[in-house]
Amino acid sequence: MALLDRFRARPAWQSPDPQVRVAAVRQLDANQSDVLASIARDDADPRVRRAAVQRLDDPSLLAERAKGDGDESVRQEAISRLLHMAEVAEEPAVAEAAMAGLGDARHLAALARAARLPSTRAAAVSRLEDPRALATVAKTAPDPATRQAALDAIHDPGALAEVALKSEHKDVAVAAVGRLDDTEALEAVAARARNSAAARRARGVLDARPGPAAAASEAVPSEPAPEAPPLPAEPPPPAEPPAAVAAAPVAEPAPSPGEPDPRERERKERIALCERVEGLTGEEALDYLEESRAAWEGMAPQIDPPELDELNERFRRAMEECRQRYDAAAGRRNAEKEAAEREAKEKEAQAKVREAELRRRQQTIVRAQALAGRLEALARAEKPTLREVERALRDERATLDALAAIPDRKEREALADRLKAARAALFPKAQDLREADEWTRWTNAAKQEDLCKRAEALLAEEDLEKTLRRLHEIDAAWREVRQAPRGQAETLWLRFKAARDQLHARLDPYLAKKKEEGQANLKRKEELVGRAEALAGSTDWLKTADEFRRLQAEWKQVGPTPHKPSQALWERFRGAADRFFSRRKEDLDRRKHEWAANLQRKEALCARAEELMSSTDWEATSAEMNRLQAEWRTIGPVRKSKADAVWQRLRKAVDSFLERYAQRDELGRAAAAAEREAMVHELEEIPAEATPADVAAKVLAVVARWRQAAPPPRDAVDVARRFADARNRVVEAHPEAFRKTELDPEANRSRMEKLCAKVEALLPRAEAAAGATLAERLKEALAANTMGARGEAEARWKANAAEVEAAQAAWKRLGPVPGEGGRALGERFESACQRFFASRPRPTR
């Protein structure tokens, strides 16, 4: 294959097969991001685009595909990649760029819950606006700061109630209760909240409110408090004051008759709180203590100070004692937990030791079985090597010693017996191989001595290139016979090495010079590669292709270079040429497609012009031909080999029409004459033996066409005469066939006689006026001038002339009257018309 043919090879990701393109995309290097981006954006198959999206690492490119791709699976793949990048990113900039391509509330909520960076979680929460999504984050996010930020962003009462009801995290559940104002929502939280602290907080808020809500909340049974984590020495103040504390105290109304005194009621409530705290054990959670503190501080003090101070002191002591009990219980729990963890770790360590021992024994068994199989295979092999056999025998001895650690006696003895049997079968073959090896070494001694002589003979060779080539051959031959008898091997090697060292002393300067030349050639190739890479993006296709051919010729003329760097330069050179010729082929394919489309359009114009070239609709066809030529000029080029032929085809059709257009009058007259001549022939060729009915129908049809045909040429008198003669001949031959038609001879004779009589009726007066004497005419003229009758006479004559002309037109429309009678009537009518027009009154002076 020529070098340029290899340059034109298309990469696999441009294959017409989508499966091949998918496999090629999966094998592209990660640094080929521009190729991956192009494939993800431009490939026609969504499977290929999806595979390219899976390899992309640029968030901006992924965001573009997530929003702009026409296939849903590609968009979902891009969104999944962006979501994963934003979740696992360790740099804020990367996470921010990936999150910029995400806009769906579900994705932002997932990112707020699972992102590794706190800044990413906070940014996701800040972009969330959907109350349900915010409620989901506030309920389920593992990070407390994220939960609190999501809760702070919620302003919808329904979403707050959902967090208070369904969140298992105490912090957001209790905080959500503190922001609830709706009594029904608080009652639902108090009755069904997953977190008991939220339920108790809701009951406390309801208890602090006057009215039916408090009574309703008292009906809700209290849930036992779950075990809470150890409390610090001084619990931190709550992030948000309880609703009972935050609410402004209201003045107690005066007790109505039958109701207890407010001070007494407060006293009972405070004593009940003290007793409940004093009755708490250390195993119970401290969250109830905080609620009790909130309830205590939320009571409006109405008791006298001494008694109130005493109750406050009692409550404080109860709180401290409860904390101490809890701390002691927590210490016991921690100690028990540590002891349990230590015991679990010891058991885990012992289990690991047992597992390692078991794994080691199992590996020993597996190795023994594999070695036994290897020994048996070597025993069956036709030509095993001595090294393989001796190594297998050494491994067999070591494996027999390791089998002693196997506790199962039967399994241990079975493996040992198998190994010994395999060794016994292989040992004779090992003996044969050793003897063959000794023989080979003995024969190699003679060969090595011959190679020593050949190397020593090269010392007298003056051609260094020839010396270098033969020395390489001798070195390769020495490697094949390098094993010699142990008593002679050292002596022969030293002799060979001495001759070889002398040869290298002569060849080293020559090799150094060749190396310098190779470096110079390498620089020349680097220059060629630089020129090729500079031309890879050119669009001057012909000139650049010629330049690449010149570069190829120069590359072949460059001398030898070091193999590895030369190979790398060759890859670069070929890659630059591949890029150029691939782009050239793509451009050529595109232009071929355009040329084919343009050729198709131009051929359609040629076909249309050829359809119109014989048309006689001169003006419309001329306009259509002009339009076709104007449209031709708007069409782009076609392939050079077909451009002239298709143009000549159009030109021929247009020129043919234009020639006919220039002769349209002559052609029209000729066509009219030809048409009338054809009708004459049609009448003349009517056979005499034809039936009258057929003859009448045919003649009437020809006459109708004669009247509708274009006007005949002025010199076509003979054709008209012939047509009349032919028509009259047929009518005369078959008069009965034309009865009651426009060619009925008897009807036409009657009409002719009437027309003759009509014209002759206008003659007497006109002839009398024309034959009067000059004196009579002067007398009439004087009378006319005197009486104003001159104009009336002229008008009467013109009216009569109009009637005569009408009679002449009617005469022309009449059918023929064959025979002598018809000719006589024609002469009579013509004579009457001529006499009338000759009798026009002459003007008098």
Side-chain angles (χ1 to χ4, degrees):
M1 184 183 293
L3 179 62
L4 289 178
D5 293 336
R6 293 200 296 270
F7 287 167
R8 297 187 182 98
R10 297 177 64 181
W13 51 265
Q14 291 182 347
S15 170
D17 187 357
Q19 296 293 342
V20 176
R21 297 203 302 274
V22 169
V25 167
R26 291 172 179 164
Q27 294 177 359
L28 287 174
D29 295 336
N31 57 3
Q32 293 179 291
S33 58
D34 53 345
V35 177
L36 290 170
S38 175
I39 295 172
R41 183 170 51 251
D42 301 331
D43 197 277
D45 196 291
R47 294 173 296 175
V48 183
R49 297 200 304 275
R50 187 166 60 251
V53 166
Q54 291 172 355
R55 301 290 309 282
L56 286 177
D57 293 326
D58 189 344
S60 61
L61 296 176
L62 289 171
E64 176 189 345
R65 292 297 88 208
K67 296 177 181 177
D69 198 276
D71 185 77
E72 178 65 22
S73 63
V74 179
R75 294 197 300 271
Q76 291 299 327
E77 184 64 34
I79 291 172
S80 176
R81 290 280 296 152
L82 287 170
L83 192 60
H84 177 71
M85 291 176 65
E87 285 180 0
V88 303
E90 297 182 354
E91 297 182 4
V94 176
E96 181 179 359
M99 190 169 58
L102 300 172
D104 193 271
R106 296 174 301 166
H107 303 145
L108 294 174
L111 200 57
R113 295 195 303 269
R116 178 177 298 178
L117 294 177
S119 60
T120 306
R121 297 194 294 268
V125 171
S126 66
R127 290 183 56 188
L128 279 175
E129 297 179 356
D130 183 22
R132 295 182 62 85
L134 287 168
T136 301
V137 176
K139 288 186 301 182
T140 60
D143 180 39
T146 304
R147 295 197 299 267
Q148 189 62 44
L151 182 65
D152 293 342
I154 297 175
H155 302 289
D156 181 63
L160 287 173
E162 183 181 358
V163 175
L165 273 170
K166 299 182 180 180
S167 177
E168 297 180 355
H169 297 284
K170 173 185 172 183
D171 52 351
V172 293
V174 173
V177 171
R179 293 177 56 187
L180 286 176
D181 293 329
D182 184 62
T183 302
E184 294 183 0
L186 287 169
E187 290 175 353
V189 173
R192 302 192 305 274
R194 292 184 182 178
N195 188 275
S196 58
R200 287 194 293 272
R201 177 67 180 276
R203 285 195 294 272
V205 174
L206 290 170
D207 291 342
R209 292 183 177 182
S217 65
E218 291 176 2
V220 179
S222 176
E223 297 180 2
E227 183 178 352
L231 188 71
E234 282 297 329
E240 180 179 2
V245 179
V250 294
E252 287 285 345
S256 60
E259 290 186 0
D261 182 62
R263 288 190 293 274
E264 183 63 27
R265 186 175 62 184
E266 181 189 354
R267 182 183 298 105
K268 288 181 180 180
E269 291 178 356
R270 290 185 183 273
I271 291 173
L273 278 176
C274 291
E275 290 175 352
R276 290 175 69 180
V277 172
E278 290 169 351
L280 291 174
T281 64
E283 297 298 327
E284 294 175 331
L286 289 180
D287 54 358
Y288 184 73
L289 295 181
E290 297 302 322
E291 295 178 9
S292 300
R293 181 194 295 276
W296 185 278
E297 294 176 353
M299 294 181 186
Q302 298 182 12
I303 307 175
D304 296 334
E307 187 178 3
L308 180 61
D309 294 342
E310 182 181 351
L311 290 174
N312 286 336
E313 181 62 24
R314 179 183 176 184
F315 183 76
R316 186 189 63 77
R317 287 197 305 270
M319 293 282 288
E320 291 180 356
E321 291 172 359
C322 183
R323 288 196 191 93
Q324 292 173 2
R325 290 193 299 272
Y326 182 84
D327 292 342
R332 289 193 300 274
R333 287 195 302 271
N334 291 337
E336 292 173 358
K337 184 178 180 181
E338 291 176 359
E341 289 178 353
R342 284 195 301 271
E343 183 178 359
K345 288 181 180 179
E346 290 176 358
K347 289 181 179 179
E348 184 179 0
Q350 293 173 0
K352 287 183 178 179
V353 170
R354 289 193 298 272
E355 183 180 356
E357 181 65 24
L358 182 61
R359 187 165 54 251
R360 187 164 53 253
R361 291 174 182 174
Q362 188 64 31
Q363 290 175 354
T364 301
I365 293 173
V366 171
R367 285 198 302 270
Q369 291 173 346
L371 179 60
R374 183 152 60 99
L375 290 170
E376 292 166 352
L378 289 173
R380 293 191 301 268
E382 294 183 0
K383 295 181 179 180
T385 63
L386 179 61
R387 178 177 295 181
E388 291 175 342
V389 171
E390 289 184 341
R391 181 180 298 171
L393 293 175
R394 287 195 302 270
D395 293 343
E396 186 266 344
R397 287 191 294 270
T399 304
L400 282 176
D401 296 338
L403 286 177
I406 298 176
D408 190 344
R409 180 167 169 265
K410 290 184 178 181
E411 186 175 12
R412 182 178 65 246
E413 290 179 352
L415 285 173
D417 293 342
R418 182 182 175 188
L419 287 172
K420 290 177 182 177
R423 178 185 177 85
L426 183 61
F427 191 78
K429 186 169 289 189
Q431 291 294 105
D432 294 340
L433 290 173
R434 292 190 183 100
E435 293 177 358
D437 181 68
E438 291 179 359
W439 172 258
T440 301
R441 289 176 181 272
W442 182 80
T443 57
N444 286 346
K447 296 178 181 178
Q448 286 185 359
E449 187 167 353
D450 180 65
L451 292 175
C452 290
K453 293 178 181 179
R454 290 171 58 186
E456 291 167 351
L458 281 179
L459 294 173
E461 180 63 50
E462 295 182 356
D463 188 346
L464 296 180
E465 184 63 31
K466 182 178 179 181
T467 301
L468 180 62
R469 185 172 59 254
R470 290 187 177 178
L471 181 58
H472 287 164
E473 295 173 357
I474 293 172
D475 285 342
W478 184 273
R479 285 191 294 271
E480 293 178 359
V481 298
R482 62 183 178 275
Q483 294 180 349
R486 293 175 177 81
Q488 302 176 4
E490 184 69 18
T491 303
L492 290 171
W493 166 247
L494 292 176
R495 178 183 173 186
F496 178 73
K497 184 176 182 300
R500 193 168 177 271
D501 291 342
Q502 295 180 41
L503 289 173
H504 275 290
R506 292 177 55 203
L507 292 173
D508 285 345
Y510 174 70
L511 291 174
K513 183 179 179 181
K514 286 191 66 175
K515 184 177 181 180
E516 291 179 1
E517 293 176 354
Q519 293 297 327
N521 294 335
L522 196 64
K523 289 183 179 180
R524 289 188 60 190
K525 287 188 175 182
E526 287 177 353
E527 293 176 358
L528 295 177
V529 168
R531 289 164 59 187
E533 290 175 342
L535 293 172
S538 174
T539 56
D540 189 354
W541 308 116
L542 296 177
K543 184 178 178 181
T544 307
D546 293 339
E547 183 63 22
F548 265 107
R549 295 186 185 94
R550 286 192 291 272
L551 293 177
Q552 179 190 9
E554 291 184 29
W555 184 281
K556 292 179 179 180
Q557 292 174 0
V558 177
T561 56
H563 178 69
K564 288 186 178 180
S566 179
Q567 184 66 23
L569 288 176
W570 165 246
E571 294 294 337
R572 287 175 57 192
F573 184 80
R574 185 178 62 183
D578 285 343
R579 289 194 298 275
F580 170 76
F581 284 104
S582 297
R583 291 175 55 250
R584 182 193 182 197
K585 186 177 184 304
E586 292 173 359
D587 180 77
L588 183 60
D589 292 343
R590 178 185 59 78
R591 286 189 290 162
K592 283 182 178 179
H593 181 73
E594 293 178 357
W595 292 343
N598 294 338
L599 180 62
Q600 187 175 4
R601 292 179 61 189
K602 289 188 174 183
E603 287 178 342
L605 295 181
C606 291
R608 177 59 178 161
E610 289 168 351
E611 290 176 3
L612 297 172
M613 61 187 292
S614 300
S615 173
T616 56
D617 189 358
W618 304 111
E619 300 304 325
T621 306
S622 177
E624 180 67 10
M625 285 292 189
N626 290 334
R627 188 193 66 79
L628 294 179
Q629 294 181 79
E631 184 178 351
W632 181 283
R633 290 190 288 272
T634 63
I635 301 174
V638 300
R639 187 184 291 276
K640 289 184 179 180
S641 59
K642 297 183 179 181
D644 186 64
V646 71
W647 166 247
Q648 292 300 331
R649 180 182 172 189
L650 177 73
R651 190 69 264 163
K652 180 179 179 182
V654 173
D655 290 345
S656 176
F657 171 76
L658 292 178
E659 289 176 4
R660 294 179 61 252
Y661 182 80
Q663 301 172 1
R664 61 187 180 279
D665 295 336
E666 293 80 357
L667 292 174
R669 290 191 292 271
E675 183 180 8
R676 290 181 178 271
E677 183 71 23
M679 288 187 281
V680 171
H681 280 293
E682 191 173 353
L683 290 179
E684 290 176 346
E685 291 176 358
I686 292 177
E689 64 274 11
T691 61
D694 294 340
V695 169
K698 188 170 184 179
V699 170
L700 290 173
V702 173
V703 169
R705 281 161 41 209
W706 180 274
R707 292 173 180 168
Q708 296 174 359
R714 294 180 180 178
D715 54 353
V717 178
D718 182 63
V719 175
R721 181 186 56 76
R722 287 170 57 205
F723 179 81
D725 292 345
R727 179 195 61 190
N728 296 341
R729 176 181 61 80
V730 176
V731 173
E732 186 175 0
H734 305 280
E736 295 299 327
F738 295 95
R739 295 297 181 190
K740 297 183 181 181
T741 66
E742 60 176 318
L743 298 181
D744 186 353
E746 293 301 325
N748 288 332
R749 178 180 291 107
S750 175
R751 295 189 190 100
M752 287 181 178
E753 289 176 350
K754 289 180 182 180
L755 290 175
C756 289
K758 182 178 180 180
V759 175
E760 290 171 350
L762 299 174
L763 284 177
R765 189 174 180 180
E767 289 180 346
T773 62
L774 179 60
E776 291 175 350
R777 288 201 303 269
L778 288 175
K779 183 178 179 180
E780 288 181 3
L782 180 61
N785 289 335
T786 303
M787 299 175 62
R790 179 179 179 182
E792 294 179 2
E794 183 70 20
R796 280 196 304 272
W797 190 90
K798 288 183 179 180
N800 294 336
E803 292 184 9
V804 172
E805 290 174 355
Q808 288 178 328
W811 185 278
K812 291 180 179 179
R813 291 193 297 270
L814 292 176
V817 176
E820 191 62 31
R823 285 191 294 273
L825 285 173
E827 292 175 357
R828 175 184 171 188
F829 182 79
E830 185 66 26
S831 174
C833 291
Q834 290 177 0
R835 287 158 53 199
F836 173 80
F837 286 112
S839 65
R840 180 173 184 175
R842 298 171 184 169
T844 57
R845 299 179 181 238

